[in-house]
Amino acid sequence: MAFSDKILQKSIDPTVHQMLDRAEQAGIETVWDRYEKMLPECGFGELGVCCRNCNMGPCRISPFEDEGPQKGICGATADIIVARNLIRMIAGGAAAHSDHGRDLAHTLLLTAEGKSGGYEIKDEAKLAALAKEYGITADGRTKEEIALDLAKAVYAEFGKQEGPLQFTRRAPQKRVDQWQKMGIDPRGIDREIVEIMHRTHIGVDNDPVNLILQGLKASIADGWGGSMVATEISDVLFGTPEPVRSEANLGVLKADHVNIVAHGHEPVLSEMILAACSDPALVAKAKGLGAKGINLVGMCCTGNELNMRHGIPLAGNFMQQELAVITGAVDAMIVDVQCIMPALGDLCECFHTQFISTSYKAKFPGAVHMQFNEENALSIAKEIVGSAVDNYANRVPEKVFIPEEKSDCMVGFSAEAIIKALGGTLDPLLDAIKSGAIKGIAGVVGCNNPKIKHDLGHVGLVKELIKNNVLVVTTGCNAIATAKVGLMLPEAADQAGDGLKGVCQSLGIPPVLHMGSCVDISRILNVCAAAANALGVDISDLPVAGAAPEWMSEKAVSIGAYVVSSGIFTVLGTVPPVLGGPLVTEVLTQGANDVVGAAFAVETDPVKGAGLMIAHMDAKRKALGI
Ligand code: SF4
Ligand code: MSK
């Protein structure tokens, strides 16, 4: 099939070309069309110099010194406004991740009390390890008793008035010392987020550097707090991921099955939807309607959670959520929270797809709301899946077109699984780094964004890294992008430089390791902390780097901030709204080195972005004398 240049330039993914062609023919708009209609995007917003924090405004600072206002009505300069806006983004992102973590703590609490409907404690070894970390006695106690204490302890992390947050102490001592010295060692998770909202209120904190420090502090409470809680407690409840084979891309939808797309973030919902999908009565119902069965697939980070733990196929990443509906083959799109486009409501009305929201926190126009709760989890999940199955009868076969493309992938590389693959210790990995077979480790994460050709940033950057012997660990929408092009197969080692290729072949692992969802970037932090501790250095001394080639969400801003705060140089592939504040820009790209031993770079060209990361690793290797 030949597609117009306009379509081809939007993505590197052939399924996207096919679905956009279909959308164009049917006169259906997608995120790409809405982006084009938005152009040119607001220049003040792009620079970060507009402020609506009080009703004397809105104010905006002119980028030209001799033309237009240089201060807001209250006197705020461009740097003050940019810093306030930036850290409010961090507050939004940290709140999202941390609320996710809180929901997991809640589910653990209910499960320990015997009040949850269908959950159980699956990873007792992790429960025991976490209990030990929190100083909770395990001897002679049931797993529920231990879990109850653990749930209360992690719950308390959110409302703490004084720190430290327990998991921050996994970081090397030198890192903790630096955080303390700079006053950015977080106290309670919620406290740091609330303090951002206070400090950015009119007439409070008007020192750009002081504002940014609070942003870093809240971000650390996200990465080493809320996100880490989300990951660890998910593992306790649903099992710690282990390598498993799966498939990725829209070709995982099946014309002869009831197709359910689980989209959003929290495994509390998706684990129960998965359980409901194998309910014999619902499967029989689906068969009674002429389907061969129920096909559950995942989208975005819910997809990653299901994929990592159960090998459930990934339908696609952020920019593909509308395209899944446009296949006409999705009987239900079930969502919880985060990264769900409100556009889905109108879109689903053009098809038979039932758009089902499940969280009181996230309602959408055009969605049917079926409130989910942990107490009755399995029975509600069965109702939701039952509704999807019923909707199969409304499918219009003439409207169905499922692209064929999908790729196999090997996923499930939790930190524990990586250590197991290495034979029980990190030493073989550290030896490979010391010998130069592996130049360094890159964490490549984050969203899609129509500002950049879909998946090109992700795949272009990752391919360049592995070619240069950089082992890539990935989460979020980058993980899905790389899975779709076969980079998560052991055979992809052929695309790696000789050193990395040899390591991958000897271990039977891909050069790109799927570590999970966005909150699972905490797994990457844990690996970095363990490596630094093993070598007796700080994380900022390691030949590691981070990248978010196509980021768009506030969560990504918080992630970038905590990754840099952890001492990891990070390349952003889309430009953050900070360039209107010269001091803020300098602090983020240079000054941060003096505060946390790492900084940001912005590079929209993925190959050049990889080059910056490689140069950084070379410099760190030299400093380590390896
Ligand atoms: Fe304008 Fe200051 Fe109010 Fe912001 S806080 S809207 S800069 S007056
Ligand atoms: S889903 S935050 S678009 S990575 Fe976690 Fe993808 Fe970004 Fe959402």
Side-chain angles (χ1 to χ4, degrees):
M1 228 185 286
F3 300 108
S4 66
D5 283 350
K6 192 175 163 227
I7 285 180
L8 290 173
Q9 75 194 16
K10 291 191 166 50
S11 175
I12 61 167
D13 181 338
T15 71
V16 175
H17 305 149
Q18 292 165 61
M19 301 324 294
L20 286 181
D21 188 52
R22 236 171 102 74
E24 203 173 271
Q25 283 174 26
I28 292 168
E29 73 166 22
T30 66
V31 57
W32 283 276
D33 301 307
R34 293 187 295 274
Y35 172 66
E36 271 164 26
K37 281 187 194 160
M38 198 58 67
L39 294 175
E41 289 186 309
C42 170
F44 295 103
E46 280 181 338
L47 293 172
V49 291
C50 49
C51 180
R52 291 185 296 105
N53 288 14
C54 89
N55 204 29
M56 290 193 284
C59 301
R60 73 234 184 302
I61 306 301
S62 170
F64 307 107
E65 264 179 42
D66 44 358
E67 234 181 83
Q70 293 301 301
K71 285 182 179 169
I73 296 166
C74 67
T77 60
D79 273 309
I80 293 171
I81 293 174
V82 167
R84 286 197 305 219
N85 289 342
L86 177 72
I87 74 167
R88 279 201 170 195
M89 290 183 89
I90 293 176
H97 282 150
S98 299
D99 223 28
H100 173 162
R102 190 193 325 264
D103 282 349
L104 267 304
H106 180 64
T107 307
L108 182 66
L109 186 79
L110 291 176
T111 305
E113 290 174 339
K115 292 182 187 161
S116 71
Y119 302 98
E120 54 184 309
I121 292 157
K122 292 228 175 97
D123 189 338
E124 289 188 49
K126 182 157 266 198
L127 174 70
L130 294 174
K132 190 168 170 213
E133 210 170 342
Y134 271 93
I136 295 165
T137 315
D139 289 348
R141 303 177 76 204
T142 65
K143 61 181 180 181
E144 286 75 21
E145 286 167 341
I146 302 166
L148 185 60
D149 282 356
L150 179 65
K152 286 179 180 166
V154 293
Y155 235 153
E157 301 278 38
F158 293 90
K160 252 183 191 171
Q161 298 311 313
E162 291 304 327
L165 296 175
Q166 185 60 43
F167 292 148
T168 58
R169 289 339 190 223
R170 293 176 172 184
Q173 189 58 47
K174 281 185 188 169
R175 181 106 318 241
V176 173
D177 292 345
Q178 185 64 12
W179 289 341
Q180 287 181 327
K181 189 172 147 206
M182 301 313 303
I184 58 172
D185 187 24
R187 297 156 294 181
I189 297 165
D190 293 350
R191 180 167 186 179
E192 305 309 348
I193 296 166
V194 168
E195 195 168 305
I196 286 184
M197 300 313 284
H198 178 197
R199 288 205 202 187
T200 54
H201 186 276
I202 177 165
V204 187
D205 196 354
N206 287 285
D207 177 332
V209 175
N210 207 40
L211 284 161
I212 290 170
L213 287 171
Q214 178 58 23
L216 300 184
K217 193 172 185 177
S219 77
I220 296 167
D222 171 357
W224 297 84
S227 286
M228 212 168 271
V229 166
T231 297
E232 297 290 23
I233 304 302
S234 295
D235 285 354
V236 169
L237 285 167
F238 312 126
T240 302
E242 290 188 1
V244 59
R245 288 270 178 164
S246 187
E247 294 176 327
N249 216 344
L250 288 173
V252 301
L253 294 168
K254 293 180 181 170
D256 51 7
H257 280 63
V258 173
N259 287 308
I260 297 178
V261 178
H263 175 24
H265 277 76
E266 296 185 8
V268 171
L269 171 72
S270 53
E271 286 283 329
M272 283 298 141
I273 296 293
L274 173 62
C277 283
S278 54
D279 178 74
L282 289 170
V283 174
K285 193 177 186 186
K287 289 187 173 162
L289 288 170
K292 287 201 174 137
I294 303 174
N295 181 37
L296 176 66
V297 299
M299 179 73 64
C300 281
C301 281
T302 284
N304 286 323
E305 298 275 359
L306 285 168
N307 183 249
M308 285 274 285
R309 291 200 177 83
H310 307 285
I312 296 295
L314 289 161
N317 52 11
F318 179 69
M319 293 290 272
Q320 288 175 285
Q321 55 188 286
E322 291 172 291
L323 309 184
V325 175
I326 296 172
T327 64
V330 174
D331 302 297
M333 171 79 80
I334 301 169
V335 303
D336 56 2
V337 291
Q338 300 170 21
C339 305
I340 301 142
M341 290 189 196
L344 287 175
D346 281 348
L347 180 64
C348 287
E349 275 172 23
C350 303
F351 294 87
H352 80 296
T353 306
Q354 208 177 22
F355 180 27
I356 303 175
S357 58
T358 61
S359 167
Y360 71 91
K361 296 176 200 168
K363 296 194 175 181
F364 297 83
V368 179
H369 189 74
M370 300 178 80
Q371 182 58 48
F372 181 79
N373 68 57
E374 293 80 356
E375 289 88 340
N376 304 302
L378 188 55
S379 63
I380 298 171
K382 284 183 188 173
E383 265 177 54
I384 295 171
V385 172
S387 178
V389 171
D390 286 340
N391 198 33
Y392 177 78
N394 297 322
R395 198 189 285 180
V396 185
E398 304 78 56
K399 279 194 170 184
V400 173
F401 175 80
I402 303 172
E404 283 173 8
E405 288 82 357
K406 58 182 174 180
S407 171
D408 287 338
C409 51
M410 182 197 259
V411 301
F413 289 94
S414 57
E416 291 82 350
I418 291 175
I419 290 171
K420 202 165 157 192
L422 291 168
T425 112
L426 273 181
D427 290 349
L429 178 62
L430 299 177
D431 290 344
I433 292 173
K434 283 184 206 155
S435 76
I438 291 178
K439 187 185 285 288
I441 302 176
V444 190
V445 304
C447 326
N448 297 132
N449 187 327
K451 289 179 177 173
I452 184 165
K453 189 173 187 175
H454 171 241
D455 285 352
L456 176 69
H458 288 310
V459 173
L461 184 123
V462 167
K463 280 191 172 173
E464 185 67 14
L465 289 171
I466 63 169
K467 202 165 84 187
N468 284 280
N469 294 314
V470 175
L471 176 67
V472 173
V473 290
T474 168
T475 66
C477 288
N478 178 277
I480 302 172
T482 46
K484 287 188 297 175
V485 296
L487 286 169
M488 282 182 183
L489 287 168
E491 302 87 279
D494 289 341
Q495 298 178 52
D498 286 344
L500 177 60
K501 185 176 169 178
V503 174
C504 291
Q505 285 176 341
S506 70
L507 295 170
I509 59 169
V512 180
L513 302 180
H514 192 335
M515 292 196 77
S517 64
C518 296
V519 292
D520 292 336
I521 293 167
S522 62
R523 299 189 197 274
I524 301 178
L525 295 180
N526 282 332
V527 171
C528 289
N533 284 332
L535 294 171
V537 298
D538 194 356
I539 295 174
S540 56
D541 299 319
L542 298 172
V544 299
E550 304 183 23
W551 75 275
M552 60 88 201
S553 70
E554 289 176 327
K555 290 181 290 173
V557 181
S558 181
I559 291 166
Y562 75 65
V563 170
V564 165
S565 299
S566 301
I568 301 171
F569 168 68
T570 297
V571 176
L572 302 176
T574 64
V575 184
V578 300
L579 299 186
L583 173 64
V584 173
T585 305
E586 193 282 332
V587 168
L588 296 174
T589 56
Q590 293 294 331
N593 280 310
D594 301 328
V595 180
V596 287
F600 288 99
V602 178
E603 176 52 69
T604 53
D605 179 314
V607 174
K608 287 186 187 155
L612 293 175
M613 298 163 80
I614 292 163
H616 173 79
M617 289 174 194
D618 283 336
K620 292 292 170 186
R621 295 182 63 87
K622 200 168 165 203
L624 282 172
I626 56 175

